[in-house]
């Protein structure tokens, strides 16, 4: 979402690169870790990674789908290096689990070579970290750092490449920091938990419990093969699930020496539910449009001029303040209001006509960071203050500088507690942000599913992306819209929480514009199973929320061609 004064915003490309890094690193992995703390001044930090230079082949490392091997050239140090080759839907992830200490700081580094190479750590107990490089023709060092949680005794460090890219290389991976538990250096890795069973079930959660394991200091919970929780006790409740859906669960035990094998799996099925959460008076099928509080060459509108087809109007944008996490809003004189009261009156008039008006957080100048409890509280308080001052119905999350799922969830739940059940929450992530449920945006959406109105992913400025069938699709087609929407629809969001975000005209984005007829075909394909391209979903989603565009101003510039065609289609969905 751009407020720059030129018609083909380069900021959107920059934003995509930043978000790709922020998400891809989180969702897809990375190559090496180096510890930050725990070493006396002047002393050399011990490397906790086993076989860090791959001199002993792949000993200590596990590479997905047999993608890894060792080579003698190129190497960064020693006589060997890792070569890993992505293929199909496999991104060539190579990982090992390392014993660490709770509440300790670590640094992870690696030397890498290739296109789209990632390095990261998961299971930290705080915020999982990663970093990446889009292109390293020679050896390049990646580095990131993290602090472990109060109950964390092991982390997984990893590297991986990207779909459709050539092989990458990694060498001299280092994780430095306090190693394991120095008081019990001989403790064995615990055995696998037994007695795993399901308990209370709701439409969005399943409770689990299991028998304690001797020597364990914590436990990891896996849902359908992916770790979703780490706990210190012998029970957990997995949330953010889809109604009437079956899930497979496993548990492992951990201590300073490492992680146990997984327990026997159990299956739990959520109860039937009503689907998505918040939304106030938002209609079953809704059209969202961003209104520009600035002049960048598109038609300048007052809020009263926004086309009637739009059900949710996102005022773009609120800006960061000097207080971490807090935001404020200033009406731009360029939009022509004589006073703020006129703007507030326009909001009331739109609401009287059945529309919702939300304040969008982010955009070009939206460097808002919500990464701890204090900033989460500041975010909730400041957004609620804007809602009370201007009458906004809610908030749109359109951050371009990354998103911390833990604290954004905390912030939005705090806002919901203040605003009540009528709160409208929308999100506008990039396509890369929703490729995996492990990404911060996707995690946040699932975490707040009971109060979330709609995720209008931006299907533009993206290039090619994976669909839910594991195939790669290029932007600008029906298949790109439907196959990527399928990831969200099958990844845990209710159909009522999924919208298709596209530019209103060729001037509204750097790339990815599709004609309204393509958008309408995608809506038909998802909701009715008709007018599909080569990809056809296994089932239909008649409750699909609708579509979004950037922006109402660019739509007006193009003679309202987008809203005039897509609006009636959305409102006519089953």
């Amino acid at each position: 979402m751009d407020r720059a004064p030129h018609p083909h915003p380069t900021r959107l490309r920059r934003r995509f690169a930043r978000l790709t890094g922020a998400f891809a690193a989180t969702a897809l992995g990375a190559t090496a870790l180096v510890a930050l703390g725990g070493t006396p001044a002047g002393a050399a930090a011990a490397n906790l990674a086993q076989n860090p230079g791959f001199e002993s082949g792949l000993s200590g490392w596990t590479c997905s789908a047999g993608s890894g091997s060792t080579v003698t050239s190129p190497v960064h140090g020693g006589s060997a290096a890792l070569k890993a080759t992505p293929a199909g839907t496999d991104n060539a992830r190579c990982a090992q689990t390392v014993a660490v200490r709770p509440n300790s700081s670590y640094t992870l580094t690696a030397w890498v070579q290739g296109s789209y190479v990632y390095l990261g750590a998961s299971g930290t107990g705080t915020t999982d970290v990663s970093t990446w490089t889009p292109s390293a023709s020679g050896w390049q060092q990646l580095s990131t750092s993290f602090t472990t949680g109060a109950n964390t005794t092991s982390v997984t460090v990893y590297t991986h490449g990207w779909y459709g890219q050539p092989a990458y290389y990694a060498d001299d991976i280092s994780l430095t920091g306090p190693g394991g538990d120095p008081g019990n250096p001989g403790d064995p890795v615990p055995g696998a938990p037994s007695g795993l069973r399901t308990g209370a079930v709701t439409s969005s959660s399943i409770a689990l419990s299991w028998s304690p394991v001797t020597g364990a200091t914590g436990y990891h919970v896996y849902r359908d093969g992916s770790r979703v929780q780490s706990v210190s006790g012998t029970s957990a409740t997995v949330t953010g699930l889809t109604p009437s859906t079956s899930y497979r669960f496993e548990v492992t035990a951990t201590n300073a020496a490492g992680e146990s094998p997984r327990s026997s799996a159990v299956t739990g099925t959520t109860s039937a539910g009503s689907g998505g959460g918040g939304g106030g008076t938002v209609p079953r099928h809704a059209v969202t449009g961003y209104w520009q509080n600035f002049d960048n060459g598109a038609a300048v509108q007052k809020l009263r001029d926004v086309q009637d087809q739009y059900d949710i109007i996102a005022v773009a944008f609120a800006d960061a303040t000097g207080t971490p996490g807090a935001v404020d809003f200033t009406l731009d004189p360029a939009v022509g209001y004589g006073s703020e009261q006129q703007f507030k009156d326009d909001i009331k008039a739109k609401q009287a006509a059945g529309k919702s008006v939300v304040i969008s957080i982010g955009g070009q100048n939206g460097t808002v960071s919500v990464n701890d409890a204090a900033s989460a509280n500041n975010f909730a308080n400041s957004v609620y203050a804007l809602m009370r001052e201007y009458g906004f119905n809610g908030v749109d999350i359109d951050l371009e500088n990354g998103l911390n799922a833990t604290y954004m969830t905390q912030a939005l739940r705090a806002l919901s507690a203040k605003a009540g059940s009528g709160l409208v929450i929308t999100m506008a992530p990039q396509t890369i942000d929703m490729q995996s449920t492990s990404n911060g945006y996707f995690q946040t959406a699932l975490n707040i599913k009971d109060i979330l109105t709609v995720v209008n992913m931006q299907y533009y400025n993206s290039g090619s992306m994976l669909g839910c069938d594991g195939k790669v699709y290029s932007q600008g087609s029906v298949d790109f819209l439907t196959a990527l929407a399928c990831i969200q629809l099958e990844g845990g969001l209710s159909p009522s929480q999924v919208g298709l975000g596209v530019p209103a005209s060729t001037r509204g984005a750097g790339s990815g514009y599709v004609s309204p007829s393509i958008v309408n075909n995608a809506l038909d394909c998802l909701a009715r199973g008709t007018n599909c391209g080569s990809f056809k979903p296994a089932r239909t989603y008649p409750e699909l929320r609708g579509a979004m565009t950037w922006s109402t101003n660019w739509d007006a510039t193009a003679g309202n061609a987008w809203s005039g065609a897509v609006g009636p289609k959305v409102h006519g969905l089953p």
Side-chain angles (χ1 to χ4, degrees), residues 216-299:
T217 57
Y219 300 89
H220 295 325
V221 179
Y222 290 82
R223 184 192 72 203
D224 294 335
S226 298
R227 187 193 299 180
V228 292
Q229 277 192 44
S230 295
V231 297
S232 58
T234 57
S235 64
T237 298
V238 180
T239 60
L241 307 180
T242 301
S244 303
T245 303
S246 295
Y247 296 90
R248 179 173 58 87
F249 299 99
E250 298 161 297
V251 178
T252 62
T254 65
N255 64 12
E259 181 178 9
S260 76
R262 298 187 185 185
S263 69
S264 298
V266 298
T267 299
T269 303
T270 52
S271 61
S274 58
T281 59
V282 174
R284 173 183 172 89
H285 300 297
V287 179
T288 302
Y290 285 80
W291 174 82
Q292 297 179 184
N293 178 43
F294 50 86
D295 180 3
N296 69 342

Side-chain angles (χ1 to χ4, degrees), residues 532-571:
C532 299
S534 61
F535 172 80
K536 186 171 183 177
R539 58 192 179 105
T540 58
Y541 310 94
E543 295 180 356
L544 188 78
R545 180 67 80 174
M548 172 275 281
T549 197
W550 177 266
S551 61
T552 65
N553 306 74
W554 285 118
D555 185 22
T557 304
N560 302 326
W562 192 89
S563 60
V566 177
K569 171 61 72 172
V570 168
H571 296 138

Side-chain angles (χ1 to χ4, degrees), residues 91-183:
N91 61 8
R93 185 179 190 269
C94 295
Q96 72 169 256
T97 299
V98 182
V100 294
R101 299 184 65 183
N103 298 319
S104 299
S105 296
Y106 293 84
T107 299
L108 175 66
T109 62
W111 290 89
V112 302
Q113 188 174 143
S115 300
Y116 297 95
V117 189
Y118 301 84
L119 166 70
S122 62
T124 65
T126 54
T127 300
D128 291 351
V129 296
S130 60
T131 185
W132 72 306
T133 177
S135 179
S137 56
W139 288 106
Q140 176 182 336
Q141 188 178 42
L142 297 177
S143 179
T144 186
S145 59
F146 62 92
T147 300
T148 54
N151 300 305
T152 302
T153 55
S154 66
V155 298
T156 298
V157 299
Y158 56 92
T159 64
H160 69 75
W162 187 243
Y163 310 99
Q165 298 297 317
Y168 71 88
Y169 301 89
D171 201 0
D172 296 332
I173 296 174
S174 174
L175 176 63
T176 57
D181 185 350

